[in-house]
């Protein structure tokens, strides 16, 4: 076998492996590009939904820009809701404890 035939085979193997590597990189790059574009579309839809919901609701004024009585009323209403929620939670817990205590009887 001639010495130059070995070099031709090596160069052909190098070119084939380089071509396959480039083909694989381009293929995976296009797949990643499609994935990124679908992700961008999903994120864009979510941001559009947030923008639409933000436009519909009007923000409340800051507490330091309204009369003090209005802020007091808002605080007391919020605190009353908290107390109701805690009372409901306490009733649920008491019912669970009663059920557990009667479980083994």
């Amino acid at each position: 076998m001639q010495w130059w035939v070995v070099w031709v085979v090596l160069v052909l193997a190098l070119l084939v492996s380089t071509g396959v590597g480039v083909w694989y990189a381009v293929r995976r790059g296009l797949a990643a590009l499609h994935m990124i574009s679908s992700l961008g579309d999903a994120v864009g839809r979510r941001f559009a939904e947030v923008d639409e919901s933000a436009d519909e609701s009007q923000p409340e004024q800051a507490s330091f820009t309204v009369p003090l009585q209005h802020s007091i009323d808002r605080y007391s209403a919020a605190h009353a809701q908290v107390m109701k929620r805690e009372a409901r939670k306490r009733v649920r817990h008491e019912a669970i404890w009663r059920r557990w205590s009667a479980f083994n009887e």
Side-chain angles (χ1 to χ4, degrees), residues 61-68 71 74:
Q61 292 181 337
S63 62
F64 58 85
T65 62
V66 296
L68 185 59
S71 295
R74 279 185 8 201

Side-chain angles (χ1 to χ4, degrees), residues 7-53:
W7 285 105
V8 170
V9 170
L10 286 175
V11 168
L12 286 177
L14 173 72
L15 291 177
V16 167
S17 65
T18 303
V20 169
V22 168
W23 171 78
Y24 181 77
V26 168
R27 189 173 136 231
R28 298 309 306 160
L30 289 175
L33 186 63
H34 290 297
M35 180 65 70
I36 290 172
S37 67
S38 65
L39 178 65
D41 291 341
V43 169
R45 281 194 308 271
R46 300 268 164 70
F47 278 131
E49 290 172 4
V50 169
D51 287 341
E52 289 173 2
S53 65

Side-chain angles (χ1 to χ4, degrees), residues 2-3 5 8 22-23 31 39 49 69 74-75 83 90 95:
Q2 299 287 337
W3 64 270
V5 174
V8 170
V22 168
W23 171 78
L39 178 65
E49 290 172 4
Q69 187 61 41
R74 279 185 8 201
Y75 176 79
M83 290 175 62
R90 188 177 310 111

